Amino acid sequence: MIYPQWPGQLRDGLDNMKLSLSESQQQQLLAFLALLNKWNKAYNLTAVRDERVMVSRQLLDSLSIMPWVTTDHLLDVGAGGGMPGIPLAIVFPYKRFTLLDSNGKKTRFLNQCVLELGLKNVEVIHGRAEDCQPKQPYSQISSRAFTALANLVTWCEQLLAEDGEFLAMKGQYPDDEVAALPAAWQVESSHSLNVPGADGERHLLIIARHKESSR
Protein backbone atom coordinates (compact mmCIF):
# COMPACT_ATOMS: atom_id res chain seq x y z
CA MET A 1 0.00 0.00 0.00
CA ILE A 2 1.01 3.61 -0.55
CA TYR A 3 0.81 5.43 2.79
CA PRO A 4 -1.12 8.74 2.70
CA GLN A 5 1.90 10.86 3.68
CA TRP A 6 4.22 9.45 0.99
CA PRO A 7 3.08 11.53 -2.05
CA GLY A 8 3.48 14.81 -0.16
CA GLN A 9 6.84 13.76 1.29
CA LEU A 10 8.07 12.89 -2.19
CA ARG A 11 6.85 16.14 -3.76
CA ASP A 12 8.36 18.24 -0.98
CA GLY A 13 11.63 16.35 -1.14
CA LEU A 14 11.92 16.71 -4.92
CA ASP A 15 11.23 20.44 -4.60
CA ASN A 16 13.92 20.75 -1.94
CA MET A 17 16.39 18.91 -4.19
CA LYS A 18 15.30 20.96 -7.21
CA LEU A 19 14.36 17.83 -9.14
CA SER A 20 11.49 17.90 -11.62
CA LEU A 21 9.80 14.54 -12.24
CA SER A 22 6.58 13.78 -14.07
CA GLU A 23 3.48 12.67 -12.19
CA SER A 24 3.80 9.19 -13.69
CA GLN A 25 7.43 8.92 -12.52
CA GLN A 26 6.41 9.95 -9.01
CA GLN A 27 3.64 7.32 -9.06
CA GLN A 28 6.15 4.67 -10.20
CA LEU A 29 8.53 5.62 -7.39
CA LEU A 30 5.75 5.31 -4.83
CA ALA A 31 4.63 1.99 -6.33
CA PHE A 32 8.21 0.73 -5.98
CA LEU A 33 8.30 1.85 -2.35
CA ALA A 34 5.01 0.03 -1.68
CA LEU A 35 6.46 -3.15 -3.22
CA LEU A 36 9.63 -2.79 -1.17
CA ASN A 37 7.64 -2.36 2.03
CA LYS A 38 5.40 -5.35 1.25
CA TRP A 39 8.22 -7.74 0.34
CA ASN A 40 10.45 -6.52 3.17
CA LYS A 41 8.20 -8.15 5.73
CA ALA A 42 9.12 -11.62 4.42
CA TYR A 43 12.42 -11.10 2.58
CA ASN A 44 14.33 -8.72 4.88
CA LEU A 45 15.40 -6.48 1.99
CA THR A 46 16.23 -3.40 4.05
CA ALA A 47 16.62 -2.44 7.71
CA VAL A 48 14.31 0.57 7.23
CA ARG A 49 10.86 -0.45 8.48
CA ASP A 50 9.38 2.87 9.62
CA GLU A 51 7.03 4.09 6.86
CA ARG A 52 7.54 7.69 8.04
CA VAL A 53 11.15 7.76 6.81
CA MET A 54 10.97 5.44 3.79
CA VAL A 55 10.53 8.19 1.19
CA SER A 56 13.65 9.95 2.46
CA ARG A 57 15.82 6.91 3.17
CA GLN A 58 14.94 4.90 0.06
CA LEU A 59 13.72 7.20 -2.72
CA LEU A 60 15.29 10.63 -2.09
CA ASP A 61 18.57 9.06 -1.00
CA SER A 62 18.77 7.08 -4.26
CA LEU A 63 17.90 10.13 -6.37
CA SER A 64 20.51 12.31 -4.65
CA ILE A 65 23.22 10.97 -6.98
CA MET A 66 21.31 11.80 -10.18
CA PRO A 67 23.67 14.64 -11.23
CA TRP A 68 26.63 12.24 -11.34
CA VAL A 69 24.99 9.48 -13.39
CA THR A 70 26.43 10.25 -16.81
CA THR A 71 26.69 6.80 -18.41
CA ASP A 72 24.16 5.24 -20.77
CA HIS A 73 24.45 1.88 -18.95
CA LEU A 74 24.98 1.74 -15.18
CA LEU A 75 25.82 -1.35 -13.14
CA ASP A 76 24.45 -1.34 -9.57
CA VAL A 77 26.38 -3.89 -7.48
CA GLY A 78 24.95 -5.38 -4.31
CA ALA A 79 21.63 -4.06 -5.55
CA GLY A 80 19.75 -5.60 -2.60
CA GLY A 81 16.35 -3.96 -2.29
CA GLY A 82 16.90 -2.00 -5.50
CA MET A 83 18.53 1.19 -4.25
CA PRO A 84 19.70 3.23 -6.01
CA GLY A 85 19.16 1.21 -9.22
CA ILE A 86 15.36 1.02 -9.42
CA PRO A 87 14.63 4.69 -8.57
CA LEU A 88 17.34 5.78 -11.02
CA ALA A 89 15.89 3.55 -13.75
CA ILE A 90 12.49 5.17 -13.21
CA VAL A 91 13.83 8.73 -13.56
CA PHE A 92 16.22 7.86 -16.43
CA PRO A 93 14.01 5.77 -18.76
CA TYR A 94 16.44 6.18 -21.69
CA LYS A 95 19.42 4.81 -19.78
CA ARG A 96 20.03 1.10 -19.12
CA PHE A 97 20.54 -0.37 -15.66
CA THR A 98 21.95 -3.75 -14.67
CA LEU A 99 21.27 -4.80 -11.07
CA LEU A 100 23.62 -7.43 -9.63
CA ASP A 101 23.14 -9.28 -6.34
CA SER A 102 24.20 -12.69 -5.03
CA ASN A 103 21.10 -13.15 -2.84
CA GLY A 104 18.38 -15.10 -4.63
CA LYS A 105 15.54 -13.65 -2.55
CA LYS A 106 16.64 -10.14 -3.39
CA THR A 107 16.96 -10.80 -7.12
CA ARG A 108 13.50 -12.40 -7.11
CA PHE A 109 12.18 -9.18 -5.60
CA LEU A 110 14.05 -7.08 -8.18
CA ASN A 111 12.63 -9.15 -11.03
CA GLN A 112 9.15 -8.66 -9.58
CA CYS A 113 9.74 -4.90 -9.52
CA VAL A 114 10.81 -4.95 -13.17
CA LEU A 115 7.66 -6.90 -14.05
CA GLU A 116 5.12 -4.92 -12.00
CA LEU A 117 6.59 -1.49 -12.77
CA GLY A 118 7.12 -2.25 -16.47
CA LEU A 119 10.80 -1.29 -16.40
CA LYS A 120 12.05 -2.12 -19.89
CA ASN A 121 15.48 -0.61 -19.15
CA VAL A 122 16.44 -2.89 -16.24
CA GLU A 123 18.24 -6.25 -16.27
CA VAL A 124 18.68 -8.29 -13.07
CA ILE A 125 21.61 -10.67 -12.60
CA HIS A 126 21.78 -13.20 -9.76
CA GLY A 127 25.45 -13.80 -8.99
CA ARG A 128 28.64 -12.63 -7.34
CA ALA A 129 30.51 -9.64 -8.68
CA GLU A 130 33.75 -11.66 -8.90
CA ASP A 131 32.07 -14.22 -11.19
CA CYS A 132 30.28 -11.76 -13.46
CA GLN A 133 31.62 -11.57 -17.02
CA PRO A 134 29.92 -8.76 -18.96
CA LYS A 135 30.27 -8.51 -22.73
CA GLN A 136 31.90 -5.13 -22.17
CA PRO A 137 32.94 -3.33 -18.99
CA TYR A 138 30.84 -0.56 -17.47
CA SER A 139 31.87 3.08 -17.41
CA GLN A 140 30.05 3.63 -14.09
CA ILE A 141 29.27 1.24 -11.22
CA SER A 142 27.11 2.34 -8.30
CA SER A 143 27.21 0.91 -4.79
CA ARG A 144 25.05 1.69 -1.76
CA ALA A 145 25.53 -0.01 1.61
CA PHE A 146 27.31 -2.89 -0.17
CA THR A 147 30.81 -3.30 1.27
CA ALA A 148 34.00 -1.49 2.23
CA LEU A 149 35.66 0.52 -0.54
CA ALA A 150 38.70 -1.79 -0.74
CA ASN A 151 36.39 -4.78 -1.30
CA LEU A 152 34.35 -2.85 -3.85
CA VAL A 153 37.32 -2.04 -6.11
CA THR A 154 38.88 -5.50 -5.65
CA TRP A 155 35.75 -7.53 -6.33
CA CYS A 156 34.51 -5.35 -9.19
CA GLU A 157 37.65 -4.10 -10.95
CA GLN A 158 37.17 -6.46 -13.92
CA LEU A 159 33.65 -5.03 -14.40
CA LEU A 160 34.84 -1.42 -14.70
CA ALA A 161 36.19 0.14 -17.90
CA GLU A 162 39.79 1.38 -17.72
CA ASP A 163 38.65 5.01 -17.52
CA GLY A 164 35.47 4.15 -15.58
CA GLU A 165 34.45 5.20 -12.09
CA PHE A 166 32.70 3.85 -9.04
CA LEU A 167 29.84 5.87 -7.53
CA ALA A 168 30.13 4.78 -3.89
CA MET A 169 27.35 5.99 -1.60
CA LYS A 170 28.31 6.31 2.07
CA GLY A 171 27.05 7.94 5.26
CA GLN A 172 29.80 9.83 7.06
CA TYR A 173 32.97 10.36 5.04
CA PRO A 174 34.76 6.99 5.46
CA ASP A 175 38.32 8.12 6.23
CA ASP A 176 39.47 4.63 7.28
CA GLU A 177 38.07 3.01 4.12
CA VAL A 178 39.68 5.65 1.89
CA ALA A 179 43.03 5.11 3.63
CA ALA A 180 42.70 1.35 3.02
CA LEU A 181 42.12 1.66 -0.74
CA PRO A 182 44.66 -0.32 -2.81
CA ALA A 183 47.41 1.84 -4.29
CA ALA A 184 46.01 1.56 -7.83
CA TRP A 185 42.83 3.43 -6.84
CA GLN A 186 42.04 6.98 -5.78
CA VAL A 187 39.08 9.10 -4.69
CA GLU A 188 38.71 11.53 -7.58
CA SER A 189 36.07 13.61 -5.81
CA SER A 190 33.72 13.56 -2.84
CA HIS A 191 30.31 15.16 -2.66
CA SER A 192 28.09 15.89 0.33
CA LEU A 193 24.57 14.83 -0.61
CA ASN A 194 21.38 16.72 0.12
CA VAL A 195 18.78 14.19 1.26
CA PRO A 196 15.72 15.93 2.76
CA GLY A 197 14.51 14.25 5.94
CA ALA A 198 17.62 12.10 6.39
CA ASP A 199 19.41 11.87 9.71
CA GLY A 200 23.17 12.21 9.60
CA GLU A 201 25.55 12.85 6.75
CA ARG A 202 25.46 11.33 3.26
CA HIS A 203 28.39 11.31 0.86
CA LEU A 204 29.10 10.20 -2.67
CA LEU A 205 32.68 9.17 -3.44
CA ILE A 206 33.82 8.99 -7.06
CA ILE A 207 36.59 6.37 -7.21
CA ALA A 208 38.77 5.64 -10.24
CA ARG A 209 42.08 4.06 -11.13
CA HIS A 210 45.20 6.16 -10.66
CA LYS A 211 45.98 7.50 -14.11
CA GLU A 212 49.57 6.21 -13.90
CA SER A 213 48.43 2.67 -13.07
CA SER A 214 45.94 2.49 -15.94
CA ARG A 215 48.47 3.31 -18.66
Side-chain angles (χ1 to χ4, degrees):
M1 64 172 286
I2 294 176
Y3 285 88
Q5 69 267 38
W6 284 359
Q9 288 178 344
L10 180 58
R11 280 194 305 273
D12 291 346
L14 292 173
D15 286 346
N16 185 292
M17 297 166 74
K18 295 180 171 54
L19 297 176
S20 179
L21 301 182
S22 69
E23 189 63 33
S24 63
Q25 286 175 318
Q26 294 182 47
Q27 288 303 316
Q28 265 193 311
L29 287 169
L30 294 172
F32 162 66
L33 198 59
L35 275 173
L36 178 65
N37 189 39
K38 175 185 172 184
W39 281 61
N40 198 36
K41 291 175 173 64
Y43 275 41
N44 195 28
L45 301 167
T46 168
V48 179
R49 297 182 181 277
D50 183 349
E51 70 273 6
R52 294 171 298 178
V53 299
M54 286 179 178
V55 168
S56 172
R57 296 276 295 277
Q58 313 295 26
L59 298 183
L60 300 178
D61 187 75
S62 296
L63 299 181
S64 67
I65 69 167
M66 281 176 64
W68 294 276
V69 177
T70 57
T71 183
D72 290 330
H73 190 180
L74 180 86
L75 172 66
D76 187 25
V77 295
M83 286 78 63
I86 297 286
L88 290 175
I90 289 171
V91 301
F92 289 127
Y94 300 110
K95 295 180 183 288
R96 294 166 58 208
F97 293 84
T98 296
L99 277 51
L100 173 66
D101 202 282
S102 61
N103 184 307
K105 286 185 177 180
K106 292 178 178 177
T107 54
R108 280 196 290 280
F109 166 71
L110 295 173
N111 277 314
Q112 189 66 24
C113 287
V114 170
L115 185 68
E116 290 201 30
L117 301 174
L119 298 175
K120 308 293 188 189
N121 59 335
V122 176
E123 174 191 20
V124 177
I125 298 177
H126 175 214
R128 288 155 45 95
E130 306 96 299
D131 303 328
C132 188
Q133 296 181 320
K135 292 178 182 175
Q136 60 185 49
Y138 299 87
S139 58
Q140 286 189 317
I141 298 177
S142 63
S143 159
R144 177 185 186 258
F146 174 45
T147 186
L149 297 177
N151 292 336
L152 175 66
V153 300
T154 301
W155 296 344
C156 303
E157 62 179 334
Q158 84 283 2
L159 303 175
L160 189 71
E162 276 300 316
D163 58 350
E165 58 189 22
F166 289 100
L167 305 178
M169 301 175 69
K170 294 287 181 178
Q172 288 186 318
Y173 188 87
D175 291 285
D176 292 348
E177 291 187 29
V178 171
L181 274 171
W185 298 89
Q186 64 181 349
V187 176
E188 288 210 324
S189 61
S190 169
H191 308 275
S192 181
L193 299 173
N194 168 35
V195 183
D199 292 332
E201 300 175 22
R202 300 291 295 144
H203 285 87
L204 174 67
L205 277 65
I206 311 290
I207 300 172
R209 293 177 176 88
H210 271 296
K211 296 299 181 280
E212 297 79 22
S213 64
S214 60
R215 283 176 188 159

